[in-house]
Amino acid sequence: MVKTQWDSKQLIIEAINLFKKANIPKPRLNAELIMVYCMNKERIDLYVDYKKKLTRIEANYFRALIQRRLKKEPVQYIIGRTEFMSLPFYVNKHVLIPRPETEVLVEQVMNHVLENKKRNYRILDIGTGSGNIIVSLAKYAPKCLYMGIDISNAALKVAKKNAKLNKIKDDIKFLNADGFECFSRRRHFDVIVSNPPYIKSSDLNGLQDEIKMHEPCIALEAGEEGLDKIRYLIDNSYKFMRKNALLTIEFAYGQCKSIKSYAIKKGKYKHIRIVKDLSGIDRIIMMNRK
Ligand code: GLN
């Protein structure tokens, strides 16, 4: 017979205390998310049977995962799950964990597509990562043609898994490529969207441990000013867009002015506008091909 010495409540309290000592934010939430993952249950089940007995193997597994969180690994990587646009997304260390700010980017594109009521819109997501942007668009703005490209094959595997997880019926084409290198000039998209890397190289060290020690640097860093990838997108997107097509890019706090003047100077875009995120920070630039 298996000896059942531990119950979920005891183990959660033990983890909360360890997290508090290590200054891990939201200790209870972290401990509970890891517990329900170990038990292969939903969070609600935890409240229904709060003192559920655990086997020694389950308890050891829980404690091992708690140790990973103590080493500052984000809980999303530990449990392999996060939520974006109210949809479930699988994540691992090869992809950036989707951020709530990026939901604003998706909503803008979604509104644009739905307002124009055009089907078969060709939508391209550059640097798709976990696929959060393109999968959400396929879900909420259906009947278009979707493409996600990424330089990382490991990231694309995650993106494909997320398309399946969200039961996307309209196929998304995923391509392994560095930016636009895979296209001929004849490719004309109606929408190009991107949440590119935009952190200054010198700022990387100042980021919280969870990010700098665990999230993929390739998805974060973009040169001295953090603008390398954004400039690349502004320099090249228009060549692959039809007239009036939309380009939408997310950027960081403090980058708005230089990105806007860069886009104006390029001379290829019109209706250049900025959208704020939910905290009131300038976060997205939108423009249309002349
Ligand atoms: N598109 C993904 C996201 O928005 C990945 C972005 C990236 O890797 N820079 O989270």
Side-chain angles (χ1 to χ4, degrees):
M1 217 177 75
V2 185
K3 205 172 158 200
T4 53
Q5 285 170 312
W6 305 270
D7 68 51
S8 52
K9 186 179 176 186
Q10 262 175 344
L11 285 164
I12 284 173
I13 290 169
E14 177 188 303
I16 289 173
N17 289 332
L18 290 169
F19 286 159
K20 278 187 180 160
K21 263 192 224 149
N23 281 326
I24 303 284
K26 301 190 181 156
R28 173 168 296 276
L29 178 67
N30 275 267
E32 289 186 356
L33 285 173
I34 293 173
M35 178 57 81
V36 293
Y37 171 73
C38 282
M39 299 186 340
N40 204 10
K41 293 245 154 77
E42 300 292 326
R43 213 155 151 226
I44 181 82
D45 299 319
L46 210 54
Y47 303 117
V48 176
D49 189 5
Y50 201 46
K51 285 194 170 185
K52 188 181 176 335
K53 294 276 179 243
L54 267 74
T55 64
R56 180 187 290 273
I57 291 172
E58 284 171 327
N60 285 345
Y61 185 43
F62 174 79
R63 287 184 171 133
L65 298 185
I66 294 301
Q67 285 304 317
R68 284 172 59 183
R69 185 70 193 93
L70 286 168
K71 289 184 187 134
K72 303 294 174 77
E73 184 171 345
V75 70
Q76 293 94 328
Y77 288 155
I78 297 171
I79 65 173
R81 267 304 151 97
T82 193
E83 205 179 85
F84 181 79
M85 296 292 297
S86 306
L87 299 172
F89 281 88
Y90 165 71
V91 285
N92 65 21
K93 64 179 178 177
H94 299 295
V95 299
L96 204 74
I97 298 165
R99 305 293 202 269
E101 303 89 90
T102 308
E103 295 190 344
V104 181
L105 183 77
V106 173
E107 278 158 13
Q108 289 297 326
V109 175
M110 216 171 90
N111 292 343
H112 171 84
V113 174
L114 297 177
E115 269 165 27
N116 283 283
K117 289 202 184 83
K118 254 188 91 173
R119 296 197 161 183
N120 296 327
Y121 243 40
R122 275 168 293 213
I123 307 178
L124 170 66
D125 173 21
I126 304 210
T128 201
S130 64
N132 55 326
I133 295 175
I134 202 74
V135 168
S136 305
L137 287 172
K139 195 83 187 173
Y140 296 121
K143 308 264 189 296
C144 294
L145 301 170
Y146 314 90
M147 186 181 281
I149 63 181
D150 205 290
I151 193 169
S152 155
N153 242 325
L156 286 172
K157 272 193 194 153
V158 175
K160 284 177 193 163
K161 202 166 164 172
N162 282 322
K164 246 195 202 157
L165 178 67
N166 284 288
K167 301 185 180 66
I168 301 302
K169 289 197 190 83
D170 303 288
D171 274 355
I172 305 175
K173 202 171 163 126
F174 288 109
L175 274 182
N176 182 213
D178 186 4
F180 295 102
E181 65 164 24
C182 54
F183 299 133
S184 73
R185 274 189 174 244
R186 268 173 296 149
R187 217 57 190 247
H188 281 175
F189 289 99
D190 298 281
V191 176
I192 296 182
V193 57
S194 184
N195 175 23
Y198 50 60
I199 310 278
K200 290 181 192 176
S201 310
S202 57
D203 283 351
L204 272 186
N205 254 333
L207 297 174
Q208 64 191 88
D209 289 347
E210 276 81 352
I211 303 175
K212 80 171 170 225
M213 289 164 54
H214 296 280
E215 294 204 80
C217 184
I218 189 180
L220 294 164
E221 188 188 2
E224 219 172 284
E225 296 169 272
L227 295 173
D228 287 7
K229 303 291 175 196
I230 293 175
R231 287 191 184 129
Y232 170 84
L233 289 169
I234 294 173
D235 283 344
N236 293 287
S237 295
Y238 73 90
K239 302 173 196 164
F240 306 94
M241 293 161 76
R242 64 156 182 80
K243 196 169 177 261
N244 295 322
L246 177 72
L247 172 63
T248 318
I249 309 169
E250 181 175 322
F251 57 82
Y253 178 76
Q255 294 176 332
C256 183
K257 243 175 133 183
S258 46
I259 294 172
K260 197 170 176 187
S261 56
Y262 194 81
I264 293 170
K265 240 198 244 154
K266 192 77 208 165
K268 299 290 183 188
Y269 305 98
K270 60 185 177 184
H271 310 315
I272 299 171
R273 55 220 189 260
I274 302 295
V275 180
K276 292 183 189 302
D277 65 18
L278 297 175
S279 330
I281 293 171
D282 292 332
R283 181 61 70 178
I284 289 155
I285 187 159
M286 300 176 72
M287 59 195 96
N288 297 78
R289 168 90 157 93
K290 274 186 182 167

